[in-house]
């Protein structure tokens, strides 16, 4: 009986600790999403322009990004790159009101994606596709 009570208290403490950690991670992600670089940084790759809207822990590396970039990502409004085990992983997200978007493919799902699928505390960046795209310019990037 005493052991059951102790086990239950321990489970409640662990759950409270997890909720506290998740809330603080989510708050820091939300704060950093709102913080933009002072001058917009525009990247051109695959004939598309992207703005770096977030560069958490200096996750942005243009050379590695250009090597990992795939044309499949062109359909998305946002690209998130996260680092794990010295490897860059790229994932595309749509804007929230995009007709092809599902709940877990919209940018509002980004916080959940980072919490659930990325290494804890990893460096990452967020690119947003610019609305005005270049007119048939020379290809720089991939």
């Amino acid at each position: 009986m005493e052991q059951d009570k102790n086990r239950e208290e321990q489970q409640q403490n662990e759950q409270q600790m997890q909720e506290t950690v998740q809330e603080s991670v989510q708050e820091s992600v939300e704060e950093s999403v709102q913080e933009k670089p002072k001058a917009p940084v525009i990247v051109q790759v695959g004939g598309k322009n992207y703005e770096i809207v977030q560069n958490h822990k200096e996750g942005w590396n243009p050379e590695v990004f250009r090597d990992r970039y795939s044309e499949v990502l062109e359909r998305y409004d946002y690209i998130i790159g996260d680092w794990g085990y010295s490897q860059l992983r790229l994932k595309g997200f749509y804007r929230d009101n995009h007709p092809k978007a599902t709940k877990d493919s919209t940018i509002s799902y980004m916080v959940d994606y980072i919490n659930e699928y990325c290494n804890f505390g990893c460096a990452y960046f967020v690119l947003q596709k610019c609305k005005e795209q270049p007119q048939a310019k020379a290809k720089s990037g991939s």
Side-chain angles (χ1 to χ4, degrees), residues 60-114:
W60 172 247
N61 182 321
E63 294 81 27
V64 178
F65 173 74
R66 289 186 197 287
D67 290 342
R68 299 287 294 179
Y69 183 82
S70 169
E71 291 179 3
V72 172
L73 295 167
E74 288 181 10
R75 69 177 132 180
Y76 296 103
D77 300 305
Y78 296 87
I79 299 172
I80 297 178
D82 65 278
W83 289 91
Y85 304 104
S86 299
Q87 295 255 335
L88 177 63
R89 178 173 59 168
L90 300 176
K91 174 130 174 84
F93 289 90
Y94 294 109
R95 66 184 184 278
D96 287 337
N97 59 352
H98 194 283
K100 292 182 181 178
T102 60
K103 178 184 171 238
D104 60 346
S105 69
T106 61
I107 193 62
S108 59
Y109 182 73
M110 181 188 85
V111 172
D112 293 330
Y113 171 78
I114 289 170

Side-chain angles (χ1 to χ4, degrees), residues 35-45 48-56 58-63 65-66 77 79 125-133:
E35 296 172 13
K36 284 191 171 186
K38 291 175 181 135
V41 178
I42 305 296
V43 178
Q44 186 177 18
V45 63
K48 304 284 185 194
N49 285 345
Y50 296 91
E51 179 182 352
I52 300 174
V53 293
Q54 187 174 1
N55 187 11
H56 182 71
E58 300 299 317
W60 172 247
N61 182 321
E63 294 81 27
F65 173 74
R66 289 186 197 287
D77 300 305
I79 299 172
F125 59 88
V126 180
L127 301 179
Q128 180 179 9
K129 188 185 289 182
C130 295
K131 291 185 183 192
E132 58 278 344
Q133 294 296 324

